[in-house]
Amino acid sequence: MKIVIFLIATVAVFTKCDPKECQFGGAYDFEIPASLLPMQDTFGIGDTITIVSSFSDDVYEHQTDRKYQLVDFAFFPATLIKKISINPAIDAVDDFEVLIDSLTNYSIVKYSGGINIIEGEYKYEQNRYFLEFQLVAKEKGLFYLEQGVDISFIKNQEFEGKCKDDANDGRVNMNNGAINNIDMLKESPDPHYREWFFGNPKERFYKFGGYCFYVK
């Protein structure tokens, strides 16, 4: 009986202990790949820009340096476009014709204050996530585009191997680590873009899938 009690107690202790990979601070930090094509710094009126994000449900996570299978997960992707060639910068979704497949759960959402964001969710089929849409340039200017995700919007989404109730977060890797014309921010008359982003470009620009370009 003493042996049985000891074994039960031992199992209870070990089930309460976190594995080594759970010993990290902050939230899970999943990396979502995306591409802006063609990768160039200048477009013309009428040119088409394609944004695509396609990846397996085995998603890489930075804190634990491993992949987790995220089945039918809510990533809450969103696209923000700002015209930064003026001060202050303004919302610029209306400077582009937005082409989205009618079967895709992604659309322009108009918020109070005149801010328009393209947002929705990935299509999930056969263990893959997929999102693609096009922007056709209609107006000239210097633009900043942000292709982000908001995984933390739904609290405590579960997945196999998750530690306790740790929060989930994520970042978008735009164009596989390319610099994405970040130096163009310095050409903006708006100090938020000209200066603030360079205080921590990793967290303020690259984490949110930042990309800069001219339309001339």
Side-chain angles (χ1 to χ4, degrees), residues 26-127:
Y28 283 95
D29 186 10
F30 291 101
E31 180 174 299
I32 310 303
S35 299
L36 186 149
L37 304 169
M39 285 179 59
Q40 56 194 52
D41 57 17
T42 304
F43 297 88
I45 299 294
D47 285 354
T48 298
I49 301 168
T50 297
I51 297 174
V52 59
S53 180
S54 178
F55 55 96
S56 163
D57 61 8
D58 284 324
V59 183
Y60 176 73
E61 196 282 319
H62 281 271
Q63 295 271 33
T64 56
D65 190 28
R66 58 162 288 192
K67 291 183 176 181
Y68 295 88
Q69 186 176 34
L70 306 183
V71 178
D72 205 11
F73 216 66
F75 291 99
F76 291 100
T79 311
L80 177 73
I81 308 174
K82 292 286 187 178
K83 178 178 282 187
I84 63 173
S85 48
I86 57 177
N87 184 23
I90 60 172
D91 178 77
V93 170
D94 289 342
D95 286 357
F96 298 84
E97 180 183 2
V98 183
L99 305 178
I100 306 173
D101 189 313
S102 61
L103 299 178
T104 301
N105 181 19
Y106 211 58
S107 61
I108 299 174
V109 178
K110 299 181 181 294
Y111 287 92
S112 59
I115 298 176
N116 297 336
I117 298 177
I118 315 169
E119 60 182 33
E121 195 49 81
Y122 283 90
K123 187 175 183 179
Y124 180 63
E125 288 184 345
Q126 298 179 342
N127 302 105

Side-chain angles (χ1 to χ4, degrees), residues 15-32:
T15 55
K16 290 182 181 179
C17 292
D18 296 325
K20 290 183 179 179
E21 67 180 25
C22 290
Q23 305 302 315
F24 60 84
Y28 283 95
D29 186 10
F30 291 101
E31 180 174 299
I32 310 303

Side-chain angles (χ1 to χ4, degrees), residues 32 70-77 120-122 124 129 149-155 157-158 168:
I32 310 303
L70 306 183
V71 178
D72 205 11
F73 216 66
F75 291 99
F76 291 100
E121 195 49 81
Y122 283 90
Y124 180 63
Y129 292 93
V149 291
D150 188 10
I151 299 175
S152 63
F153 186 77
I154 292 183
K155 303 296 184 184
Q157 290 191 82
E158 297 296 331
N168 302 318

Side-chain angles (χ1 to χ4, degrees), residues 166-182:
D166 289 347
N168 302 318
D169 201 355
R171 61 184 61 230
V172 170
N173 181 353
M174 178 65 82
N175 294 325
N176 195 28
I179 62 173
N180 298 328
N181 307 320
I182 188 174

Side-chain angles (χ1 to χ4, degrees), residues 129-145:
Y129 292 93
F130 182 78
L131 174 66
E132 181 177 344
F133 61 98
Q134 286 75 39
L135 303 170
V136 181
K138 299 191 298 182
E139 301 290 340
K140 297 179 179 180
L142 173 60
F143 296 92
Y144 164 70
L145 181 145

